[in-house]
Each structure stands twice: as structure tokens, then as C-alpha cells.
């Protein structure tokens, strides 16, 4: 790894680890689902954050990404909760004391119930409403005032394209819509929300770099020589990977990359179809293909935006912990290869520090460097976490 101050650590998000987030749209939706798909106490990090941070430190991490739960902070429209803010201050202070840099996400998929269910102007709810970007910016302003002194990097929104497609086209996440026009509205509103938040955050604390976390898929053609496959790849790549960067008009100080897998596309003309070809590579417990080269490819594509890059998520569901160590090694090698080709990559945050509530998939997928026994909330470090620790130490020349 080039450098001495490359950041290494792991990521989490509020709803997935804190537990008890009963004031958001996910919690409401989970009530309609079987018990294993309800976040409940999750990993109870709201109460056990000291232990989690101590473990991150023990594992040599120098950075940590977490998210703030909007529904805890703004419990009713315009009503802010100082108790929740005080707890987030404690968490961030604990990280600072441990010498760990903080990446703080302001929106990671969940919404306060009042925002998701309330009828906002123009008759629309949640992210479909034109009013939501302003409401988001107001919450962001409050948070910047209250917590800004403890934040090293801001991440405005996590994976806007994933949120918009899962919740508004595929209908698998709340509010479970299947409406392409709704998706377009949500993408536009999220881009505007990012731009407004960028302005607010810069004004509040000009020294803190701001970005958003972009889920990037490494699209590849089934056949490199087939023009139609290549056109299909170019279209998917533009729409899913690049369009949001254009919408935010490069208002970002760094690029946050969430990378998990590649997709190989096959295009047929008569009748027209674009389908996915399954790669013959090892898969994670969720069936996601493991393809480290795709990380290098996506990093090289990000060079065009001319900003420093941080990997804000990268990981796998692997309950047996039999593939995680190799996964980490190969993806870090991919980063090094991208650096050699001129990519300014400055940090790597593994998803995730601890096992957590994996959205619609519930608690079965195990993404943690640290295992959680949900019956007792006992934390156990997985062997791969020590492999990662050794990589971190080597890179510092320890
Ligand atoms: C990403 C999400 C994160 C987690 C991982 C596995 O898309 O940002 O919350 O669920 O996938």
C-alpha cells in the first residue's frame, strides 16, 4: 500500500446495529414480517458501543464509519432530541479517544415515520416529496452544529440509486412501490438533498471533507467483441454508476465507493433483452460473485472525477469465515493495483465491523469481522479479522 496514512477500518449503519430504532419506516414495515426479519435489538450497539469501539481499536483500525439515525434525532418534524445527540457525542468522543477517524453518514436507507408517512406539500410522502431535500438540509444543519467538532468526514447519503430502486421500482423495501416515475422523483430529490447538505455542511465546518457513498457495480460484457453486449454495459454503467455524479454536479470533496460485485451482461436483439450471466467464480453466502478485479475496474472509472477516493464499504456474507481473509487480501491488492495506475485511494472500510441486521434478508447473512451471538449479544472476533489486522500493521511498517 502506498503511503503511511492510508486509513483502515470498518463500517456500520445505525438501523443495522443500534437496535430499538422504533421511530422509522423500516421498523413499521418489519412489524408486518416474520420475527427473524425484525431488527429488534439488532446488535445492541446503542448500548454496547464502548465494547465495539474497543474491539475496533484492538484490531488496529484507524477509521470507522457509522450512521446517525434521523428518526432518533428529529423525532417529530422540527422537534430535535438532545438526549439522542448526547449519545452520539459520546460515541464519537469514544472513537476520538481511541484514535479512530470518523466517517459519519447522515442518511442510510431509513426515514423518520413522520417523513415517510406524513403528507408533505405536493401530496407526496418521503423522498418523493419536493419538500424532503429542505427537511433533510435542516436536520443536517442541526447535526453539523451539534456534532461537527467530532467528525472527520461527512457522508451525506448512502447508496441513493440502491435506495431508489429497491424501494420504488423493485418494491422489496419500504414503501414497496413499483413505479419508475416515483424512482426518478426520488433520485432527483436525493441529488438535490445532497447538494443542499453539501452547502450547509461546508458553511458549518469548512475543514471537513464531504462525499456520498456510491454503490458501484463492475459491469462487464459477456463477449468483449459483441457490440450489443458492450452497448448494454455502457448503458447500465452510465445509469447506475455515473448518473448520480452528474446530478450532484461534482459537489463532493471525495468519492465514497461501496463495492461488492461485478455483473456480466448478455444482450439479445430479437426479441430485445438484457440478462445477467452468472460468473464461474466463488460466491458469498448471499450468492454474490467474488470478483476483486472489479474493484480495480470501478476505481479506475472513478479517476475521471478527480477526487480522493475512500472505499466506504466492501465485504461479504460468510458465516463460516472461510472466504473473508482471502476476500480482504484480494480486494486490497486490487486497490494497490489501482493506485499504481494513478488512482488516489486513501482508505478502506470493510463492511462490516460486526454482524448486523441485513435489511430485507434479516439476521442470517453474516458480514461481521466480529460475530454476534444474538441470544446473548456476545461478541467474538473472527479469525479473518486478525488477518486484516496483520495487513494494517504491515502497511504501517510495524
Ligand atoms: C450495502 C448497504 C449496507 C449493507 C451492505 C451489505 O448495499 O449499504 O447497509 O447492507 O450492502
Amino acid at each position: 500500500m502506498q503511503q503511511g496514512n492510508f486509513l483502515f477500518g470498518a463500517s456500520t449503519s445505525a438501523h443495522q446495529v443500534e437496535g430499538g430504532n422504533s421511530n422509522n419506516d423500516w421498523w413499521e414495515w418489519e412489524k408486518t414480517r416474520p420475527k427473524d426479519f425484525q431488527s429488534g435489538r439488532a446488535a445492541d450497539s446503542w448500548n454496547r458501543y464502548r465494547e465495539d469501539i474497543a474491539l475496533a481499536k484492538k484490531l488496529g483500525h484507524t477509521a470507522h464509519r457509522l450512521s446517525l439515525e434521523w428518526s432518533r434525532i428529529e423525532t417529530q418534524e422540527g422537534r430535535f432530541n438532545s438526549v439522542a445527540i448526547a449519545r452520539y457525542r459520546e460515541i464519537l468522543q469514544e472513537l476520538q479517544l481511541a484514535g479512530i477517524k470518523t466517517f459519519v453518514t447522515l442518511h442510510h436507507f431509513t426515514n423518520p415515520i413522520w417523513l415517510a408517512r406524513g403528507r408533505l406539500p405536493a401530496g407526496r410522502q418521503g423522498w418523493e416529496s419536493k419538500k424532503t431535500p429542505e427537511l433533510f438540509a435542516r436536520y443536517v444543519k442541526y447535526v453539523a452544529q451539534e456534532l461537527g467538532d467530532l467528525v472527520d468526514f461527512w457522508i451525506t447519503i448512502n447508496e441513493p440509486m440502491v435506495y431508489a430502486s429497491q424501494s420504488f421500482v423493485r418494491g422489496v423495501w419500504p414503501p414497496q412501490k413499483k413505479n419508475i416515475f416515483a424512482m426518478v422523483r426520488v433520485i432527483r430529490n436525493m441529488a438535490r438533498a445532497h447538494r443542499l447538505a453539501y452547502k450547509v455542511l461546508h458553511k458549518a465546518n469548512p475543514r471537513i471533507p464531504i462525499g456520498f457513498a456510491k454503490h458501484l457495480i463492475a459491469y462487464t460484457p459477456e463477449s468483449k467483441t459483441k457490440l450489443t453486449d458492450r452497448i448494454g454495459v455502457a448503458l447500465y454503467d452510465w445509469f447506475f454508476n455515473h448518473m448520480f455524479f452528474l446530478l450532484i454536479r461534482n459537489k463532493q470533496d471525495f468519492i465514497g465507493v461501496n463495492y461488492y460485485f461485478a455483473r456480466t451482461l448478455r444482450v439479445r436483439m430479437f426479441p430485445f433483452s438484457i440478462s445477467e450471466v452468472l460468473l464461474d467464480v466463488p460466491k458469498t453466502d448471499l450468492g454474490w460473485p467474488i470478483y476483486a478485479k472489479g474493484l480495480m475496474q470501478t476505481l479506475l472509472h472513478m479517476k475521471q472525477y478527480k477526487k480522493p477516493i475512500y472505499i466506504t464499504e466492501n465485504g461479504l456474507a460468510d458465516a463460516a469465515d472461510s472466504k473473508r481473509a482471502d476476500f480482504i487480501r484480494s480486494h486490497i491488492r486490487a486497490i494497490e493495483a489501482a493506485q499504481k495506475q494513478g488512482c488516489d485511494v486513501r482508505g478502506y472500510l470493510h463492511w462490516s465491523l460486526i454482524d448486523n441486521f441485513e435489511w430485507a434478508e434479516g439476521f442470517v447473512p453474516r458480514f461481521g469481522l466480529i460475530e454476534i451471538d444474538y441470544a446473548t449479544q456476545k461478541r467474538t472476533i473472527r479469525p479473518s479479522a486478525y488477518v486484516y489486522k496483520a495487513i494494517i500493521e504491515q502497511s504501517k511498517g510495524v
Side-chain angles (χ1 to χ4, degrees), residues 92-130:
L92 294 170
Q93 270 161 352
E94 191 77 12
L95 284 161
Q96 202 176 51
L97 275 174
I100 294 176
K101 298 266 185 241
T102 53
F103 285 75
V104 178
T105 312
L106 293 151
H107 186 275
H108 197 124
F109 298 156
T110 57
N111 299 295
I113 290 173
W114 60 261
L115 183 92
R117 305 268 174 271
R119 205 148 270 285
L120 302 168
R124 302 197 195 285
Q125 299 172 316
W127 284 97
E128 281 191 80
S129 165
K130 280 195 171 141

mmCIF file of all heavy atoms in Angstrom, residues 92-130:
data_model
loop_
_atom_site.group_PDB
_atom_site.id
_atom_site.type_symbol
_atom_site.label_atom_id
_atom_site.label_comp_id
_atom_site.label_asym_id
_atom_site.label_seq_id
_atom_site.Cartn_x
_atom_site.Cartn_y
_atom_site.Cartn_z
ATOM 1 N N LEU A 92 -18.963 9.348 19.350
ATOM 2 C CA LEU A 92 -17.905 9.964 18.540
ATOM 3 C C LEU A 92 -16.689 10.321 19.400
ATOM 4 O O LEU A 92 -15.542 10.200 18.955
ATOM 5 C CB LEU A 92 -18.448 11.189 17.802
ATOM 6 C CG LEU A 92 -19.518 10.874 16.737
ATOM 7 C CD1 LEU A 92 -20.183 12.148 16.216
ATOM 8 C CD2 LEU A 92 -18.903 10.099 15.557
ATOM 9 N N GLN A 93 -16.944 10.740 20.637
ATOM 10 C CA GLN A 93 -15.825 11.049 21.543
ATOM 11 C C GLN A 93 -15.015 9.797 21.854
ATOM 12 O O GLN A 93 -13.791 9.818 21.912
ATOM 13 C CB GLN A 93 -16.356 11.649 22.855
ATOM 14 C CG GLN A 93 -16.461 13.154 22.780
ATOM 15 C CD GLN A 93 -17.401 13.725 23.842
ATOM 16 O OE1 GLN A 93 -18.095 12.983 24.548
ATOM 17 N NE2 GLN A 93 -17.451 15.034 23.936
ATOM 18 N N GLU A 94 -15.741 8.707 22.041
ATOM 19 C CA GLU A 94 -15.083 7.419 22.326
ATOM 20 C C GLU A 94 -14.159 7.034 21.156
ATOM 21 O O GLU A 94 -13.048 6.566 21.362
ATOM 22 C CB GLU A 94 -16.181 6.368 22.524
ATOM 23 C CG GLU A 94 -15.719 5.057 23.083
ATOM 24 C CD GLU A 94 -15.451 5.084 24.588
ATOM 25 O OE1 GLU A 94 -15.836 6.066 25.275
ATOM 26 O OE2 GLU A 94 -14.823 4.131 25.072
ATOM 27 N N LEU A 95 -14.646 7.252 19.940
ATOM 28 C CA LEU A 95 -13.832 6.945 18.753
ATOM 29 C C LEU A 95 -12.604 7.849 18.721
ATOM 30 O O LEU A 95 -11.486 7.402 18.446
ATOM 31 C CB LEU A 95 -14.660 7.109 17.476
ATOM 32 C CG LEU A 95 -15.642 5.961 17.202
ATOM 33 C CD1 LEU A 95 -16.740 6.391 16.227
ATOM 34 C CD2 LEU A 95 -14.907 4.735 16.633
ATOM 35 N N GLN A 96 -12.825 9.113 19.019
ATOM 36 C CA GLN A 96 -11.715 10.066 19.013
ATOM 37 C C GLN A 96 -10.651 9.658 20.040
ATOM 38 O O GLN A 96 -9.461 9.643 19.746
ATOM 39 C CB GLN A 96 -12.257 11.453 19.331
ATOM 40 C CG GLN A 96 -11.363 12.575 18.852
ATOM 41 C CD GLN A 96 -11.991 13.925 19.111
ATOM 42 O OE1 GLN A 96 -12.418 14.210 20.239
ATOM 43 N NE2 GLN A 96 -12.069 14.764 18.091
ATOM 44 N N LEU A 97 -11.127 9.276 21.229
ATOM 45 C CA LEU A 97 -10.194 8.845 22.281
ATOM 46 C C LEU A 97 -9.393 7.619 21.855
ATOM 47 O O LEU A 97 -8.240 7.453 22.255
ATOM 48 C CB LEU A 97 -10.989 8.467 23.546
ATOM 49 C CG LEU A 97 -11.350 9.610 24.474
ATOM 50 C CD1 LEU A 97 -12.256 9.108 25.597
ATOM 51 C CD2 LEU A 97 -10.052 10.215 25.056
ATOM 52 N N ALA A 98 -10.028 6.769 21.046
ATOM 53 C CA ALA A 98 -9.360 5.548 20.579
ATOM 54 C C ALA A 98 -8.430 5.850 19.402
ATOM 55 O O ALA A 98 -7.800 4.937 18.856
ATOM 56 C CB ALA A 98 -10.405 4.509 20.184
ATOM 57 N N GLY A 99 -8.376 7.108 18.990
ATOM 58 C CA GLY A 99 -7.511 7.489 17.863
ATOM 59 C C GLY A 99 -8.063 7.022 16.530
ATOM 60 O O GLY A 99 -7.312 6.745 15.593
ATOM 61 N N ILE A 100 -9.389 6.918 16.434
ATOM 62 C CA ILE A 100 -10.023 6.400 15.217
ATOM 63 C C ILE A 100 -10.750 7.545 14.500
ATOM 64 O O ILE A 100 -11.577 8.236 15.101
ATOM 65 C CB ILE A 100 -11.012 5.264 15.595
ATOM 66 C CG1 ILE A 100 -10.227 4.067 16.164
ATOM 67 C CG2 ILE A 100 -11.850 4.846 14.400
ATOM 68 C CD1 ILE A 100 -11.091 2.915 16.655
ATOM 69 N N LYS A 101 -10.453 7.734 13.229
ATOM 70 C CA LYS A 101 -11.108 8.801 12.443
ATOM 71 C C LYS A 101 -12.551 8.408 12.143
ATOM 72 O O LYS A 101 -12.850 7.233 11.913
ATOM 73 C CB LYS A 101 -10.386 9.005 11.107
ATOM 74 C CG LYS A 101 -8.958 9.455 11.263
ATOM 75 C CD LYS A 101 -8.864 10.960 11.186
ATOM 76 C CE LYS A 101 -7.442 11.433 11.205
ATOM 77 N NZ LYS A 101 -7.120 12.307 12.346
ATOM 78 N N THR A 102 -13.418 9.419 12.096
ATOM 79 C CA THR A 102 -14.848 9.120 11.939
ATOM 80 C C THR A 102 -15.384 9.524 10.571
ATOM 81 O O THR A 102 -15.176 10.652 10.112
ATOM 82 C CB THR A 102 -15.659 9.863 13.021
ATOM 83 O OG1 THR A 102 -15.303 11.253 12.975
ATOM 84 C CG2 THR A 102 -15.337 9.323 14.406
ATOM 85 N N PHE A 103 -16.074 8.581 9.940
ATOM 86 C CA PHE A 103 -16.861 8.843 8.732
ATOM 87 C C PHE A 103 -18.322 8.780 9.175
ATOM 88 O O PHE A 103 -18.783 7.716 9.604
ATOM 89 C CB PHE A 103 -16.624 7.767 7.664
ATOM 90 C CG PHE A 103 -15.305 7.884 6.948
ATOM 91 C CD1 PHE A 103 -14.114 7.514 7.569
ATOM 92 C CD2 PHE A 103 -15.250 8.349 5.639
ATOM 93 C CE1 PHE A 103 -12.894 7.613 6.905
ATOM 94 C CE2 PHE A 103 -14.035 8.450 4.959
ATOM 95 C CZ PHE A 103 -12.852 8.083 5.600
ATOM 96 N N VAL A 104 -19.033 9.885 9.085
ATOM 97 C CA VAL A 104 -20.400 9.919 9.624
ATOM 98 C C VAL A 104 -21.419 10.075 8.492
ATOM 99 O O VAL A 104 -21.428 11.081 7.776
ATOM 100 C CB VAL A 104 -20.541 11.064 10.656
ATOM 101 C CG1 VAL A 104 -21.962 11.141 11.174
ATOM 102 C CG2 VAL A 104 -19.568 10.846 11.810
ATOM 103 N N THR A 105 -22.263 9.067 8.352
ATOM 104 C CA THR A 105 -23.299 9.075 7.308
ATOM 105 C C THR A 105 -24.574 9.701 7.872
ATOM 106 O O THR A 105 -24.984 9.386 8.992
ATOM 107 C CB THR A 105 -23.607 7.627 6.858
ATOM 108 O OG1 THR A 105 -22.383 6.952 6.601
ATOM 109 C CG2 THR A 105 -24.482 7.605 5.622
ATOM 110 N N LEU A 106 -25.204 10.531 7.070
ATOM 111 C CA LEU A 106 -26.405 11.237 7.552
ATOM 112 C C LEU A 106 -27.709 10.557 7.143
ATOM 113 O O LEU A 106 -28.750 10.794 7.743
ATOM 114 C CB LEU A 106 -26.361 12.679 7.045
ATOM 115 C CG LEU A 106 -25.207 13.454 7.697
ATOM 116 C CD1 LEU A 106 -24.687 14.544 6.781
ATOM 117 C CD2 LEU A 106 -25.638 14.028 9.030
ATOM 118 N N HIS A 107 -27.672 9.770 6.088
ATOM 119 C CA HIS A 107 -28.874 9.019 5.681
ATOM 120 C C HIS A 107 -28.444 7.657 5.178
ATOM 121 O O HIS A 107 -27.709 7.559 4.193
ATOM 122 C CB HIS A 107 -29.640 9.765 4.577
ATOM 123 C CG HIS A 107 -30.942 9.105 4.225
ATOM 124 N ND1 HIS A 107 -31.036 8.073 3.307
ATOM 125 C CD2 HIS A 107 -32.200 9.306 4.692
ATOM 126 C CE1 HIS A 107 -32.310 7.681 3.230
ATOM 127 N NE2 HIS A 107 -33.031 8.406 4.050
ATOM 128 N N HIS A 108 -28.875 6.620 5.877
ATOM 129 C CA HIS A 108 -28.530 5.256 5.437
ATOM 130 C C HIS A 108 -29.834 4.442 5.382
ATOM 131 O O HIS A 108 -30.146 3.672 6.294
ATOM 132 C CB HIS A 108 -27.509 4.630 6.389
ATOM 133 C CG HIS A 108 -26.802 3.429 5.811
ATOM 134 N ND1 HIS A 108 -25.436 3.322 5.714
ATOM 135 C CD2 HIS A 108 -27.283 2.275 5.279
ATOM 136 C CE1 HIS A 108 -25.106 2.160 5.168
ATOM 137 N NE2 HIS A 108 -26.216 1.494 4.896
ATOM 138 N N PHE A 109 -30.609 4.675 4.353
ATOM 139 C CA PHE A 109 -31.845 3.948 3.992
ATOM 140 C C PHE A 109 -33.087 4.222 4.850
ATOM 141 O O PHE A 109 -34.195 4.117 4.353
ATOM 142 C CB PHE A 109 -31.620 2.426 3.967
ATOM 143 C CG PHE A 109 -30.618 1.938 2.952
ATOM 144 C CD1 PHE A 109 -29.960 0.717 3.139
ATOM 145 C CD2 PHE A 109 -30.324 2.658 1.802
ATOM 146 C CE1 PHE A 109 -29.031 0.239 2.206
ATOM 147 C CE2 PHE A 109 -29.403 2.182 0.862
ATOM 148 C CZ PHE A 109 -28.761 0.969 1.075
ATOM 149 N N THR A 110 -32.947 4.506 6.143
ATOM 150 C CA THR A 110 -34.159 4.643 6.980
ATOM 151 C C THR A 110 -34.642 6.088 7.037
ATOM 152 O O THR A 110 -33.853 7.034 6.896
ATOM 153 C CB THR A 110 -33.878 4.175 8.413
ATOM 154 O OG1 THR A 110 -32.775 4.939 8.920
ATOM 155 C CG2 THR A 110 -33.538 2.704 8.467
ATOM 156 N N ASN A 111 -35.946 6.243 7.282
ATOM 157 C CA ASN A 111 -36.552 7.575 7.371
ATOM 158 C C ASN A 111 -37.435 7.662 8.602
ATOM 159 O O ASN A 111 -38.105 6.688 8.954
ATOM 160 C CB ASN A 111 -37.446 7.810 6.150
ATOM 161 C CG ASN A 111 -36.639 7.754 4.872
ATOM 162 O OD1 ASN A 111 -35.781 8.577 4.626
ATOM 163 N ND2 ASN A 111 -36.903 6.724 4.070
ATOM 164 N N PRO A 112 -37.476 8.862 9.221
ATOM 165 C CA PRO A 112 -38.416 9.023 10.338
ATOM 166 C C PRO A 112 -39.844 8.743 9.853
ATOM 167 O O PRO A 112 -40.184 9.061 8.704
ATOM 168 C CB PRO A 112 -38.281 10.500 10.721
ATOM 169 C CG PRO A 112 -37.026 10.984 10.087
ATOM 170 C CD PRO A 112 -36.734 10.098 8.922
ATOM 171 N N ILE A 113 -40.650 8.189 10.737
ATOM 172 C CA ILE A 113 -42.036 7.879 10.346
ATOM 173 C C ILE A 113 -42.758 9.147 9.876
ATOM 174 O O ILE A 113 -43.483 9.123 8.883
ATOM 175 C CB ILE A 113 -42.782 7.212 11.516
ATOM 176 C CG1 ILE A 113 -42.219 5.806 11.736
ATOM 177 C CG2 ILE A 113 -44.296 7.125 11.240
ATOM 178 C CD1 ILE A 113 -42.741 5.090 12.961
ATOM 179 N N TRP A 114 -42.534 10.254 10.570
ATOM 180 C CA TRP A 114 -43.254 11.484 10.182
ATOM 181 C C TRP A 114 -42.927 11.888 8.749
ATOM 182 O O TRP A 114 -43.765 12.448 8.048
ATOM 183 C CB TRP A 114 -42.995 12.646 11.158
ATOM 184 C CG TRP A 114 -41.552 13.072 11.293
ATOM 185 C CD1 TRP A 114 -40.691 12.722 12.269
ATOM 186 C CD2 TRP A 114 -40.805 13.936 10.409
ATOM 187 N NE1 TRP A 114 -39.450 13.286 12.063
ATOM 188 C CE2 TRP A 114 -39.492 14.039 10.936
ATOM 189 C CE3 TRP A 114 -41.108 14.619 9.241
ATOM 190 C CZ2 TRP A 114 -38.497 14.807 10.334
ATOM 191 C CZ3 TRP A 114 -40.105 15.384 8.630
ATOM 192 C CH2 TRP A 114 -38.823 15.468 9.175
ATOM 193 N N LEU A 115 -41.710 11.558 8.304
ATOM 194 C CA LEU A 115 -41.323 11.927 6.939
ATOM 195 C C LEU A 115 -41.894 10.930 5.931
ATOM 196 O O LEU A 115 -42.402 11.303 4.874
ATOM 197 C CB LEU A 115 -39.797 11.943 6.809
ATOM 198 C CG LEU A 115 -39.301 12.390 5.437
ATOM 199 C CD1 LEU A 115 -39.050 13.893 5.417
ATOM 200 C CD2 LEU A 115 -38.032 11.670 5.032
ATOM 201 N N ALA A 116 -41.832 9.663 6.292
ATOM 202 C CA ALA A 116 -42.262 8.610 5.364
ATOM 203 C C ALA A 116 -43.781 8.566 5.217
ATOM 204 O O ALA A 116 -44.299 8.273 4.146
ATOM 205 C CB ALA A 116 -41.751 7.267 5.854
ATOM 206 N N ARG A 117 -44.474 8.839 6.313
ATOM 207 C CA ARG A 117 -45.937 8.681 6.270
ATOM 208 C C ARG A 117 -46.687 9.999 6.158
ATOM 209 O O ARG A 117 -47.826 10.026 5.756
ATOM 210 C CB ARG A 117 -46.430 7.959 7.524
ATOM 211 C CG ARG A 117 -45.782 6.642 7.762
ATOM 212 C CD ARG A 117 -46.553 5.493 7.133
ATOM 213 N NE ARG A 117 -45.771 4.263 7.279
ATOM 214 C CZ ARG A 117 -44.860 3.860 6.387
ATOM 215 N NH1 ARG A 117 -44.620 4.551 5.296
ATOM 216 N NH2 ARG A 117 -44.175 2.746 6.589
ATOM 217 N N GLY A 118 -46.038 11.072 6.579
ATOM 218 C CA GLY A 118 -46.732 12.364 6.585
ATOM 219 C C GLY A 118 -46.993 12.830 5.166
ATOM 220 O O GLY A 118 -46.254 12.497 4.252
ATOM 221 N N ARG A 119 -48.079 13.536 4.985
ATOM 222 C CA ARG A 119 -48.364 14.048 3.648
ATOM 223 C C ARG A 119 -47.705 15.414 3.529
ATOM 224 O O ARG A 119 -48.119 16.382 4.137
ATOM 225 C CB ARG A 119 -49.880 14.141 3.443
ATOM 226 C CG ARG A 119 -50.242 14.075 1.992
ATOM 227 C CD ARG A 119 -51.588 13.412 1.802
ATOM 228 N NE ARG A 119 -51.445 11.963 1.633
ATOM 229 C CZ ARG A 119 -51.010 11.366 0.536
ATOM 230 N NH1 ARG A 119 -50.661 12.073 -0.501
ATOM 231 N NH2 ARG A 119 -50.934 10.066 0.458
ATOM 232 N N LEU A 120 -46.620 15.453 2.779
ATOM 233 C CA LEU A 120 -45.874 16.693 2.650
ATOM 234 C C LEU A 120 -46.444 17.472 1.468
ATOM 235 O O LEU A 120 -47.222 16.931 0.685
ATOM 236 C CB LEU A 120 -44.400 16.365 2.436
ATOM 237 C CG LEU A 120 -43.788 15.530 3.574
ATOM 238 C CD1 LEU A 120 -42.432 14.989 3.193
ATOM 239 C CD2 LEU A 120 -43.680 16.360 4.831
ATOM 240 N N PRO A 121 -46.061 18.733 1.283
ATOM 241 C CA PRO A 121 -46.584 19.514 0.165
ATOM 242 C C PRO A 121 -46.418 18.769 -1.159
ATOM 243 O O PRO A 121 -45.507 17.962 -1.307
ATOM 244 C CB PRO A 121 -45.710 20.762 0.190
ATOM 245 C CG PRO A 121 -45.316 20.892 1.614
ATOM 246 C CD PRO A 121 -45.223 19.505 2.172
ATOM 247 N N ALA A 122 -47.313 19.062 -2.080
ATOM 248 C CA ALA A 122 -47.409 18.397 -3.393
ATOM 249 C C ALA A 122 -48.022 17.010 -3.228
ATOM 250 O O ALA A 122 -48.023 16.201 -4.155
ATOM 251 C CB ALA A 122 -46.065 18.299 -4.114
ATOM 252 N N GLY A 123 -48.550 16.725 -2.042
ATOM 253 C CA GLY A 123 -49.299 15.489 -1.843
ATOM 254 C C GLY A 123 -48.451 14.242 -1.811
ATOM 255 O O GLY A 123 -48.969 13.134 -1.820
ATOM 256 N N ARG A 124 -47.137 14.407 -1.763
ATOM 257 C CA ARG A 124 -46.306 13.210 -1.796
ATOM 258 C C ARG A 124 -45.649 12.969 -0.450
ATOM 259 O O ARG A 124 -45.535 13.859 0.375
ATOM 260 C CB ARG A 124 -45.233 13.366 -2.860
ATOM 261 C CG ARG A 124 -45.796 13.616 -4.235
ATOM 262 C CD ARG A 124 -44.747 13.345 -5.285
ATOM 263 N NE ARG A 124 -45.111 13.888 -6.567
ATOM 264 C CZ ARG A 124 -46.018 13.363 -7.366
ATOM 265 N NH1 ARG A 124 -46.672 12.283 -7.011
ATOM 266 N NH2 ARG A 124 -46.294 13.917 -8.524
ATOM 267 N N GLN A 125 -45.171 11.724 -0.275
ATOM 268 C CA GLN A 125 -44.566 11.366 1.011
ATOM 269 C C GLN A 125 -43.077 11.081 0.846
ATOM 270 O O GLN A 125 -42.617 10.754 -0.243
ATOM 271 C CB GLN A 125 -45.246 10.104 1.562
ATOM 272 C CG GLN A 125 -46.722 10.297 1.799
ATOM 273 C CD GLN A 125 -47.398 8.986 2.160
ATOM 274 O OE1 GLN A 125 -47.154 7.970 1.551
ATOM 275 N NE2 GLN A 125 -48.250 9.040 3.173
ATOM 276 N N GLY A 126 -42.355 11.179 1.955
ATOM 277 C CA GLY A 126 -40.951 10.773 1.989
ATOM 278 C C GLY A 126 -40.131 11.398 0.870
ATOM 279 O O GLY A 126 -40.275 12.574 0.533
ATOM 280 N N TRP A 127 -39.284 10.594 0.270
ATOM 281 C CA TRP A 127 -38.351 11.109 -0.728
ATOM 282 C C TRP A 127 -39.016 11.427 -2.063
ATOM 283 O O TRP A 127 -38.369 11.960 -2.964
ATOM 284 C CB TRP A 127 -37.171 10.154 -0.899
ATOM 285 C CG TRP A 127 -36.241 10.313 0.256
ATOM 286 C CD1 TRP A 127 -36.194 9.537 1.383
ATOM 287 C CD2 TRP A 127 -35.277 11.357 0.443
ATOM 288 N NE1 TRP A 127 -35.251 10.035 2.261
ATOM 289 C CE2 TRP A 127 -34.667 11.144 1.703
ATOM 290 C CE3 TRP A 127 -34.856 12.457 -0.320
ATOM 291 C CZ2 TRP A 127 -33.669 11.986 2.210
ATOM 292 C CZ3 TRP A 127 -33.864 13.295 0.180
ATOM 293 C CH2 TRP A 127 -33.279 13.062 1.425
ATOM 294 N N GLU A 128 -40.290 11.151 -2.184
ATOM 295 C CA GLU A 128 -40.990 11.565 -3.407
ATOM 296 C C GLU A 128 -41.382 13.035 -3.349
ATOM 297 O O GLU A 128 -41.708 13.635 -4.366
ATOM 298 C CB GLU A 128 -42.244 10.717 -3.584
ATOM 299 C CG GLU A 128 -41.972 9.353 -4.145
ATOM 300 C CD GLU A 128 -43.266 8.693 -4.538
ATOM 301 O OE1 GLU A 128 -43.791 9.005 -5.611
ATOM 302 O OE2 GLU A 128 -43.764 7.886 -3.731
ATOM 303 N N SER A 129 -41.385 13.596 -2.134
ATOM 304 C CA SER A 129 -41.819 14.990 -1.992
ATOM 305 C C SER A 129 -40.683 15.971 -2.276
ATOM 306 O O SER A 129 -39.551 15.779 -1.811
ATOM 307 C CB SER A 129 -42.335 15.219 -0.574
ATOM 308 O OG SER A 129 -42.435 16.599 -0.327
ATOM 309 N N LYS A 130 -41.031 17.045 -2.976
ATOM 310 C CA LYS A 130 -40.032 18.093 -3.273
ATOM 311 C C LYS A 130 -39.582 18.811 -2.010
ATOM 312 O O LYS A 130 -38.592 19.530 -2.009
ATOM 313 C CB LYS A 130 -40.663 19.123 -4.211
ATOM 314 C CG LYS A 130 -40.668 18.675 -5.642
ATOM 315 C CD LYS A 130 -40.963 19.858 -6.542
ATOM 316 C CE LYS A 130 -40.759 19.460 -7.982
ATOM 317 N NZ LYS A 130 -41.750 20.027 -8.866
#
